[in-house]
Each structure stands twice: as structure tokens, then as C-alpha cells.
Amino acid sequence: MHRARAAVLSLAILGACSDNHPSSPFDGLPLELDIVAGMSAPVHVARDKYGIAHIDAQSLADAAFAQGYVMAHDRLPQMDILRRSGAGTLSELYGATDPTVIDTDLEMRMHRMLPLAEESWVAIQEAADAGSKYDAEVVTLLQRFSDGVNAYAHSISTDARDAQWVLDPNVLGSFDPAHFRDWAPVDSLVIGRYEAFAMSYSADSEIDATTLYQGLRDTFDAATSGAAGARAGISKDLFAIQPIGMDSTLQGFPNVQNDDGSRSDGDDVSQRLGTARAAASPAVRPAVPASVLARARTFFAHGVPRAGGNTWAVTRDGMSAHGMLAGDQHLPLSNPSTFYPTHIVIHGMHVESTIAGHAPEIEDFELLGVTFPGIPGIVIGTNNVVAWSSTPSEHDVNDVYLEQFVPCGGEGGSNCVAFNGTPVPTESFTESISVGNLGTPTQADIVATYEVVPHHGPIIPEIDRVNHTLVPRTDTTALSVRYTGYEPTFEIRALWKLARTAGSLNDGFRALADVGYGSQNWTLVDRLDYIAWTTHATVPDRSPEAMTWNATTNPDGNAPFFVLPGDGSAEWTGTMATRYIPHATEDFNQPQLAEPFLVSVDADPVGATFDGDPLNQYDASGAQLYAGVAYDGGVRQARITEQLRAAVAGSDPIDAETMMRIQRDTQSNMGRRLAPPIVAALDKLATGAVAPADLVTFRASLTTEQRTELETARALLVDWAPDYATPTGLGNTAPQIRASAATVLFNTWMHFFIDRALSDEIAEAVPSFDVWRLGDTALANIVYGLLVRPAQFVQGPSGEPVVCDDMTSASDDSCTVQILRSLLAAMDQLASPAGYGTTDVGQWAWGKKHTLRISPLVPNALLDLPPSDQAAVPRAGDNVAVDRADHGWEDLDFSQVADGPAQRFVAEVAYGASDNQIVVHWALPGGVIYDSRSPHYRDLLDSYYLTEQYFVPPRTADEINAQGESRWIFE
């Protein structure tokens, strides 16, 4: 945001200018602004050469005001979009120009984020009034942050003649400051809930799983003859639970085999074991009407993007000079970037501890890290005593129920659902959605009424996507959702307590006990070089009747990842004991870890799915333990673990550069696993093998040109080993150019093989279910299983998995021949005008196809990075590389359009540094200030993120003065 000329001359944004400015720790920098804002003491803000604001204050209230003002200056339009996304009020801005936004609001209103945030705010205020010290601090933090946001918002205009701040004209096309609604503490709480929701809500996935599995069971497993009968049992093959990577953070749930008394919430008192629950008799999963499934699936057509990431920590024990932590969160890349970096020092406060005798001896309270725009403090970073990072844990914290509507009986016409043999009346709530253009109403409000099952949750309605309204329910069956996020929760309180009281790892665990939902893998390191990891959240315990499914012995049983019966037979019975929620610690009062590191990628944390059955884990009493099933395929976890083990075994100490190198690793994890079986199929062809039978026919049908193509493909894939690197192929060496060609060949092959091997069965089972809806993780798991674990699959006449056979053909197609056919299709595609237009593989540069362009939150070509009139940025990496640069296999456009590292963060305990700091290394995909006229609009993207470099932000006053640009004073 730029100041108007009048403001430049007066240097008085909120009041009269004083000639006698208070002494500043940043006096070495030119004074840009003197802002009279009613502070209790002067607050000094310095902007460094990276664009990061450093706030130096004497009180929490003053620091929070300054952070709100500065953050709003840098990111106000983004903050507004985030709060509206969670609250379901985007239609007020964009509904008139894009009516699909109304549908998104209709989705989000079902989750009632704003009313629940309001309840949480009341509870925090009541706790503060009752004497809770940290709740009182949270109240101050949220209220004064809001005051700072509004002070800035009231000083902006679109008219430079009388404005104090003038917004970027390119931004004004999607944000009108004249219609900005004042910020309130509840808005920050809504954003906290929204981010937690994105990391935990999976009802749509459970509906998809039920749709597919039910269709496969009905179409194939029940068939006795023909092409369908030959595929009996493939529901297990295509419902891929067993992951590829088998390196979990822990080997099994904690405190089952060896009980050390630890708890995910940091409590020192061991939780008493419960008695074993009675075993359930085999239950039958309800048959969900296809029409109900279809309506529910289309309801989630928008939703929020899934999140992921990598995080790991190493100890000093035997491998490093000091403890270190690395984290990169995989989120949608946008302009402005997802995270906002900030640095705050509050004199007179200090990091406290919940453990007697362990308070750190640090004079001032300091926070350095990132937050989501609109949330005060930091979300990920360090308080200079402990550093922390996070990724989604994928705990299963919601269930979908099939409700049967029955007459209520007696008087009245209210709707009832059958529950434990009794009709229970449903409830309802009504939402009013305003539709406008940048805040100006353009039509009458849309009124939407949602049904709620009291003991479960809201009924998933149907959206009329033509008229953008809810369709009244007429069926006697419907789906409801029970979710831990449908209660008031206190995510921001947990984040504040983590920053404020984490004087040790156990303190961190205790602070995170306030996380109600949105569970994440929290990985921590402290100044004593200890490391820890916890996934603490409210995790439901289900009754045994809800967990009777087994792919082999009871394929029609119940499971929390399918739709459950709503009749009361498969309910939540409580919450998982915190001793069993996955966690591990090397804190001062706990035993050492099995290895001197903890790796936590959004994969199965305890290996419960490694045998394909997530429901056969048990606690010490014999009761089932179930945390989740929708995990990443584990290949990033395996790759990081592999590299750390190699580093431990090596002679060179692990340092920050080691951590950064692992973060930037772009090996093709899938190519490494699947290229060998592809080469094996080519070798069968070349050596004259006569099995499988269709290979003989296929070999005889090949033209000379096709034989040459396959020989070329084999040479590329053989040369790709053992590194399986994914360079851009632009300006590279000859070996790198061949590796680049192998990368594009493999990923093109994946597209054709998935389509050839899987599309026919999926289309037959569920015609409306496109194979690509399975998602990249499930597709990779299936393809890996077909080629590496074929004996686990139903076999066909070819002697190989029958899934590879084309149902529409009379021939018996083997996986071997489908591999080869897909290779030919890939080679032809790449040589065609739609590919590279040449058979010269030296021209098949991955970087011509795999490129990055970051788009703004609201479509605007002027705010693309790089702009639309410039070439997109070539990128190394492919699907599920550690340096995530996913492109998907759905089509042959391999540009990076989805997720990527929203930051790269490395923290190291640096002994001997000034003030014994925890040193932070950063790379961020954008700039701090969302203003295309600012030098800090995209500088961090260009100078560090794209060049794979990191910067160390200044921390001390001397460092900030040496690396700073200007300063502000709030008086």
C-alpha cells in the first residue's frame, strides 16, 4: 500500500506530528512514519530488506495493535477473503459476478463457523473474567489486534487526493475499501477454524469411498459369470489402503507395548486404563441409495483444498552439533502467499513454563515465525526457547451417517429420524446469504434452511447450482455428519499458549491440549536439543459395531471411513485416551527415541494401515484403536527417513544445509519405484518371453517404428537410475537432459496406464465416478500394488492382476502388455505436436511442461506471478517428491497448479550466537506486501524460493539496523 503525497509530507497518519521522536532501537534507519495511536508506550517497527516488519513494544496490548496495523497494511484484502471464506460471506463481494461463489457460501454455512467462533469468543472472555491469566492475554491480543487492523482500514481510500493510504490499483478490482467491515476478534477465530477445517474435514472423502466401494461390491464381487464375475473380489484391489512407503513415525500406537506414561497433552499423570469393550458381532454396512450418495457428492463440489506437508526434527545425539527442525507446509500457492512472516519483541514479558523449575532465563518475550493473515501472534516458528512446525495428521474426526426418516407420531408435523428404536425430531437453523459486488448488494438475500440431527449433526443438503439455492429434502433417507469441529474450540488460545508458555517440550504438549480439532503433526525442538512430536486433538472412540469391516472376512462390515448406519448401532463412545493419541518425546523426563530423529509427513503415523487393515490395532485392554485411514502414500516419509538414516551413518555432521538439501529433494519417488517393473516388462518383450500369453501376440503386432520407440523408452528409463532426478532439461548437462526426458516419459506413461488399467472397472461400477476422482494417492497405491505386489490382487487368465484387463475387449490383457501399450501411447504423445513435436528425446525438456505460475486469490491476470505476459517458471520435481511440485496425472498438462511448499522453514539451536538464539532459515513463495508497486511484492519468490536459497532474518537491533530499510513509530 502506498501513502498519498499529503501523508508523505506530514508523516502524521493518525494524529499530529511530534518533532521530538522517542528514542528507538532502530535509530539507524530513516523514520518513515510517526503514527499517533494512543499507545501506552512507543512501539517501534522496522522494515528489513526482506520486507519483514520487526515490532518492538513494551506491552502485549501495544504489540498486538501494531501487528494488526502493519499486517493490514501488508495483507488487508487477503485477510478479508479468508474471514469471508470461513464465514461463508464471499457472495457479498463476488456473488453478483460469479454466482458459483454463492454455492461455496451455501457449503460453508452448513459448518456454522461464525456462530461457533462467537461461542468460543464468549467462552474465552468468561474465562478471562474468572481470572484465567492466559485467556485474559488472548482477549487482549485479539481485541487490540482488531483495533490495529481497523485503524489502518479507516485510513485508506481509492482517492489519492485525500487518502492517508492508497491501495494498489490492480487490487482495487477485487477489493473495495469503502465497504470493508470492521475487523472483530471473532474474525480471527473464524480464520483459525477455517484453517483447522481444511486440515481435518473428510466427510466428502468418506462419501466418495462409500460410493466407489459399494459400486464395486455390487458390480463385481456379487457377480458369478462373465467379465464381471472374473473380477469378483476386486473391491479390495481398487480400495487401496495399504500405502507404498512403510516408514511410520512410531512403530504402533504409543503406550500399548511399552507404557512410559506419556500423554499427547503433556500431562504427567498416567491415564487409568479402561476396561475392554465387548467384541462386536459382524455388522452389515448399510446400503446407501445411489441417489443420496450422488446428491451428497455434488454438494462438496467446491469445499476447501486439502493440506499436507513435511516436518522432521533431529537431536544432537550422535548426528549433529545441535538440535534442528525442518518444516514445509503443502498448501495452495497463491498471491499473496499463504503465510505472513512476522517478528515481535515485548519487553517486560518472558516465556513462562508450566513445569516448576524449568522457566527459561530469557529477559524479553520474542516471537519469530509465520501466521495466517488475520491471526495475531504466530502459528509456526519459535519463541527462542522452543521451535515448532506442523503438517496435517489426517486423524479421522468425522463420521457420515445414513439417516432414516420416520413419522414422529403424536401431534405436529416435524421430521424425525429413527435412533435406537425411537423417533427423534430433527432441528434446523436458517442462514441468510447476501449477494453483491464488492460489498454493494445487488439482489435480495438468499435464505437457506439446514436440517440438523441432534445427536449427529447437519443433514447434507442438495444445492441447486442453477438457481443457487438449497433444494428441500423429499427423500426418506439422507446423510448427516458428526464432526469434532461442530463444537466451540480454542485453536488460537492453544497457539498463544504454545508461544507464551513453551519453556520446554512438555510445556508445548500442554499448550496444544487446547487443540480441539484440525489435528496436526506438531514437531518441536528446544534449546536443550531435545525433540518431540504430538498429534493431540479430540479423536473419537467408536463403538465396536462401527469397526467390523475387514476386506477379506467381513467386506460388508462397518467402518468409520464408510457411511455408517444412523440408527444408533455405530456411535461415538467417547474420545481416545491421550496416552494413545500418536506422540513421541525426548523431553528431559522421558526415555530416548529409537532413532535420533522424528519424521512426520502426512502419512500413517503408527503403521496401522501397513497390512491393509486399519481396524486391527488394540490398546492394552483389548479395545480397538483407530485414528484414521486417509493418509498420504508414505513415499515422502520414506525418502526423508532414508536420507536422515544415511546422514546418521555418514561421517559428516548434519547441519542446516543438510536439512535444506532434504527439503529441496526432487527425486521422482514414484519413478524410482515403478521404472524397474516397466523396464522388466520391456525386457520380457526383448528376450522373447512367451508369458503372459498376450505378450506373444503383442510382440508380433509391433511395427519396426514401434520397436524403436520401445527401445528408446527402455534406454531412457535405464539411464534414469539410480538417481531418478527430475531436472528441467533446460540449460542442463547431457545426462540431466536425458533424466528430464525420462521424467516426462514416466509421468505421461502414468496417465495412460491409469486410464487403460483402471478406467473400465470404475466406469462399470459407478458410471458417474471418474477414475481421477480417486485422487493421486489412491491411484499411486493401486498402480504400485499392481506392478510391485501383484500377488495380492485378483488374478486373471493372463496370470497377472485381472484389473489390467480391458473389460470392453474380448482379449485377456495382462499388466505386462498394458505397460507396453501405455509406453507406446506416451511416446507417440510426446512426439506429436501436442507434446514436443519431435522424436528427438533431447528436446523433451520437463521444464517446458512442468512450470509454475502463482495466481491471486481472486482471478486477475495482472496479479499472476509471473504475469500472464511472461513465461511460467520451469520447475524440477514431480508428484509426491519431497519438494512437492504436484501436477497430477489426470491430463497431460503437467504444470504445477495445485499445492506446493507454502514456506520452507529450518530452525537450528545455535550455541555461541548472540543471545543463544534459535536461528531461523526461510524461503517464502511471494513477498510480504501485497502491492505490485512495492519492492517487497515478489522479492522473496524471485530471490530465494525459485532459486532454492534461504535467508536468515535479522533478530537483534544491531542486525535489523544493518539490514533494515525504514522504521515507523506508534506513539
Side-chain angles (χ1 to χ4, degrees):
M1 289 51 171
H2 280 197
R3 286 179 291 125
R5 183 174 298 275
V8 174
L9 294 174
S10 69
L11 289 181
I13 297 302
L14 297 182
C17 178
S18 169
D19 293 330
N20 299 314
H21 304 298
S23 176
S24 168
F26 312 128
D27 277 339
L29 301 175
L31 178 62
E32 182 182 9
L33 293 175
D34 188 346
I35 306 170
V36 179
M39 301 301 214
S40 63
V43 176
H44 305 279
V45 179
R47 184 83 67 176
D48 67 23
K49 66 180 183 180
Y50 306 108
I52 297 170
H54 302 261
I55 299 171
D56 186 282
Q58 302 296 321
S59 70
L60 170 61
D62 290 349
F65 181 96
Q67 188 187 26
Y69 191 101
V70 175
M71 187 187 295
H73 167 275
D74 295 349
R75 299 286 187 92
L76 188 64
Q78 181 185 23
M79 294 165 62
D80 193 35
I81 288 175
L82 286 175
R83 68 171 172 176
R84 289 178 176 278
S85 296
T89 59
L90 279 174
S91 295
E92 295 176 14
L93 301 183
Y94 312 121
T97 54
D98 182 4
T100 64
V101 174
I102 302 171
D103 302 337
T104 301
D105 281 353
L106 287 169
E107 287 186 37
M108 296 309 299
R109 293 292 181 97
M110 187 186 89
H111 307 299
R112 303 185 69 247
M113 290 192 186
L114 179 57
L116 288 167
E118 291 170 337
E119 291 184 45
S120 298
W121 176 232
V122 170
I124 292 170
Q125 290 176 299
E126 290 175 346
D129 292 342
S132 171
K133 173 182 178 180
Y134 297 117
D135 283 292
E137 290 182 353
V138 171
V139 169
T140 299
L141 178 73
L142 290 170
Q143 187 59 65
R144 289 295 287 160
F145 175 85
S146 299
D147 293 342
V149 173
N150 294 328
Y152 170 78
H154 294 165
S155 67
I156 59 178
S157 173
T158 58
D159 187 348
R161 292 171 298 179
D162 61 0
Q164 293 168 332
W165 293 105
V166 179
L167 292 182
D168 180 354
N170 291 336
V171 174
L172 290 173
S174 56
F175 177 77
D176 182 357
H179 289 92
F180 179 80
R181 175 177 52 80
D182 275 2
W183 199 268
V186 165
D187 293 319
S188 296
L189 296 178
V190 165
I191 294 175
R193 295 191 66 85
Y194 180 63
E195 299 297 345
F197 174 82
M199 298 174 189
S200 62
Y201 189 76
S202 59
D204 50 343
S205 298
E206 293 172 7
I207 292 166
D208 274 357
T210 303
T211 301
L212 176 62
Y213 190 72
Q214 186 168 288
L216 292 170
R217 290 283 295 151
D218 293 344
T219 303
F220 299 115
D221 295 0
T224 58
S225 62
R231 288 163 171 75
I234 67 164
S235 61
K236 181 174 180 290
D237 296 351
L238 296 179
F239 189 70
I241 290 179
Q242 187 178 34
I244 300 169
M246 298 286 198
D247 289 281
S248 56
T249 311
L250 288 181
Q251 298 299 312
F253 282 89
N255 295 311
V256 175
Q257 301 299 325
N258 298 298
D259 189 352
D260 62 13
S262 66
R263 289 172 53 164
S264 64
D265 59 0
D267 198 317
D268 293 328
V269 179
S270 294
Q271 191 164 321
R272 182 169 58 86
L273 292 175
T275 57
R277 288 173 288 177
S281 58
V284 178
R285 180 173 48 84
V288 187
S291 60
V292 173
L293 286 171
R295 285 199 301 272
R297 285 172 54 221
T298 56
F299 176 76
F300 295 108
H302 290 78
V304 294
R306 294 284 186 260
N310 308 313
T311 184
W312 67 93
V314 299
T315 76
R316 186 173 52 171
D317 182 19
M319 65 181 298
S320 172
H322 42 73
M324 287 180 293
L325 170 70
D328 52 287
Q329 290 68 40
H330 299 162
L331 297 165
L333 297 181
S334 65
N335 181 26
S337 57
T338 299
F339 288 121
Y340 178 80
T342 190
H343 180 216
I344 302 171
V345 175
I346 305 176
H347 303 283
M349 291 180 67
H350 60 273
V351 176
E352 299 180 347
S353 175
T354 60
I355 302 172
H358 287 92
E361 297 178 0
I362 295 180
E363 181 178 353
D364 296 320
F365 181 62
E366 179 184 14
L367 294 179
L368 176 65
V370 295
T371 185
F372 294 109
I375 296 180
I378 64 172
V379 174
I380 294 168
T382 180
N383 60 9
N384 209 25
V385 181
V386 172
W388 58 90
S389 186
S390 65
T391 69
S393 68
E394 308 296 350
H395 288 340
D396 186 350
V397 294
N398 53 218
D399 283 334
V400 179
Y401 292 94
L402 177 63
E403 307 288 354
Q404 298 287 343
F405 285 83
V406 296
C408 291
E411 297 181 1
S414 59
N415 292 308
C416 285
V417 294
F419 186 70
N420 290 328
T422 302
V424 176
T426 61
E427 300 170 351
S428 66
F429 65 90
T430 300
E431 297 284 328
S432 180
I433 296 177
S434 298
V435 180
N437 182 19
L438 300 185
T440 301
T442 60
Q443 67 178 65
D445 290 355
I446 294 173
V447 177
T449 299
Y450 298 82
E451 287 183 282
V452 179
V453 176
H455 45 275
H456 289 154
I459 293 287
I460 301 172
E462 180 181 1
I463 296 178
D464 180 343
R465 296 189 184 274
V466 175
N467 298 308
H468 311 291
T469 57
L470 293 187
V471 178
R473 178 188 56 78
T474 57
D475 285 354
T476 57
T477 55
L479 301 180
S480 68
V481 182
R482 189 172 185 183
Y483 178 39
T484 59
Y486 289 155
E487 300 290 337
T489 52
F490 304 97
E491 297 77 33
I492 291 181
R493 177 205 281 165
L495 293 170
W496 175 247
K497 288 177 68 176
L498 177 61
R500 185 77 168 85
T501 68
S504 70
L505 301 180
N506 211 48
D507 288 319
F509 276 30
R510 290 184 176 188
L512 292 168
D514 277 320
V515 173
Y517 83 119
S519 169
Q520 298 190 64
N521 293 292
W522 293 95
T523 309
L524 305 90
V525 63
D526 69 9
R527 286 162 63 103
L528 299 177
D529 300 310
Y530 292 121
I531 61 174
W533 157 77
T534 182
T535 64
H536 181 79
T538 300
V539 180
D541 266 337
R542 281 89 170 177
S543 68
E545 291 78 12
M547 297 188 288
T548 62
W549 177 85
N550 179 280
T552 303
T553 62
N554 192 25
D556 287 320
N558 284 324
F561 40 85
F562 295 134
V563 173
L564 292 169
D567 59 7
S569 63
E571 297 298 304
W572 293 3
T573 59
T575 59
M576 183 181 289
T578 58
R579 66 191 299 108
Y580 299 129
I581 292 176
H583 67 277
T585 180
E586 197 203 18
D587 208 345
F588 53 86
N589 62 348
Q590 296 293 345
Q592 299 294 300
L593 301 171
E595 296 185 276
F597 56 81
L598 285 166
V599 180
S600 177
V601 174
D602 40 312
D604 185 342
V606 295
T609 61
F610 288 1
D611 63 353
D613 184 356
L615 303 178
N616 62 354
Q617 306 289 308
Y618 303 92
D619 67 20
S621 71
Q624 283 169 285
L625 287 173
Y626 167 76
V629 71
Y631 299 115
D632 174 82
V635 290
R636 285 181 287 119
Q637 177 116 2
R639 175 63 175 164
I640 294 167
T641 301
E642 172 190 60
Q643 293 183 88
L644 288 174
R645 284 176 178 154
V648 171
S651 57
D652 296 330
I654 293 181
D655 56 16
E657 285 298 326
T658 308
M659 306 288 272
M660 297 174 197
R661 174 181 53 78
I662 295 174
Q663 280 189 332
R664 299 190 303 261
D665 183 78
T666 55
Q667 182 184 84
S668 177
N669 288 313
M670 289 308 301
R672 172 183 173 181
R673 288 166 170 80
L674 297 180
I678 297 173
V679 171
L682 288 162
D683 288 344
K684 283 185 181 180
L685 177 71
T687 58
V690 295
D694 62 331
L695 182 60
V696 177
T697 305
F698 175 78
R699 184 186 294 115
S701 70
L702 290 174
T703 66
T704 301
E705 181 183 8
Q706 289 174 325
R707 291 176 183 273
T708 300
E709 286 181 329
L710 293 176
E711 289 169 0
T712 300
R714 183 186 184 283
L716 283 176
L717 295 175
V718 168
D719 291 348
W720 202 18
D723 296 332
Y724 298 99
T726 59
T728 64
L730 302 171
N732 294 142
T733 64
Q736 289 173 323
I737 291 172
R738 287 188 64 78
S740 179
T743 303
V744 73
L745 171 63
F746 169 73
N747 283 284
T748 306
W749 173 86
M750 278 289 283
H751 167 80
F752 286 111
F753 184 78
I754 290 168
D755 186 49
R756 288 174 178 273
L758 307 180
S759 290
D760 51 340
E761 284 89 359
I762 299 296
E764 184 73 14
V766 188
S768 63
F769 199 104
D770 187 272
V771 67
W772 306 107
R773 191 171 180 126
L774 284 170
D776 291 345
T777 294
L779 291 171
N781 287 349
I782 295 169
V783 173
Y784 179 81
L786 286 172
L787 304 192
V788 180
R789 303 166 179 160
Q792 298 180 8
F793 285 68
V794 174
Q795 302 297 297
S798 68
E800 296 183 357
V802 71
V803 166
C804 289
D805 180 37
D806 183 358
M807 287 191 68
T808 65
S809 167
S811 62
D812 295 322
D813 306 298
S814 66
C815 293
T816 297
V817 168
Q818 293 288 38
I819 289 171
L820 300 174
R821 287 175 177 157
S822 300
L823 268 179
L824 287 175
M827 294 291 287
D828 290 344
Q829 167 68 26
L830 295 175
S832 74
Y836 293 91
T838 177
T839 58
D840 179 5
V841 298
Q843 302 300 313
W844 293 3
W846 179 232
K848 293 180 182 178
K849 298 290 184 182
H850 189 48
T851 58
L852 171 65
R853 191 186 307 278
I854 297 175
S855 299
L857 292 173
V858 178
N860 183 346
L862 296 174
L863 295 172
D864 284 347
L865 296 177
S868 56
D869 61 351
Q870 298 177 18
V873 180
R875 298 290 286 159
D878 65 359
N879 277 5
V880 300
V882 173
D883 186 2
R884 186 167 178 176
D886 289 2
H887 46 76
W889 295 299
E890 180 173 356
D891 51 37
L892 298 170
D893 176 6
F894 295 125
S895 58
Q896 183 180 349
V897 295
D899 298 345
Q903 71 158 344
R904 298 191 185 101
F905 169 78
V906 173
E908 59 175 333
V909 181
Y911 293 102
S914 58
D915 298 326
N916 199 29
Q917 293 178 349
I918 293 181
V919 176
V920 167
H921 306 258
W922 255 336
L924 295 161
V928 175
I929 301 175
Y930 187 48
D931 188 321
S932 60
R933 301 165 298 178
S934 169
H936 300 301
Y937 172 61
R938 54 176 291 180
D939 53 335
L940 299 182
L941 173 72
D942 296 332
S943 298
Y944 300 97
Y945 190 85
L946 295 179
T947 61
E948 299 190 339
Q949 303 297 311
Y950 293 70
F951 67 92
V952 177
R955 297 273 286 278
T956 67
D958 288 345
E959 292 170 342
I960 294 168
N961 279 311
Q963 301 181 52
E965 292 181 344
S966 62
R967 63 187 174 97
W968 296 359
I969 297 176
F970 290 85
E971 296 194 63

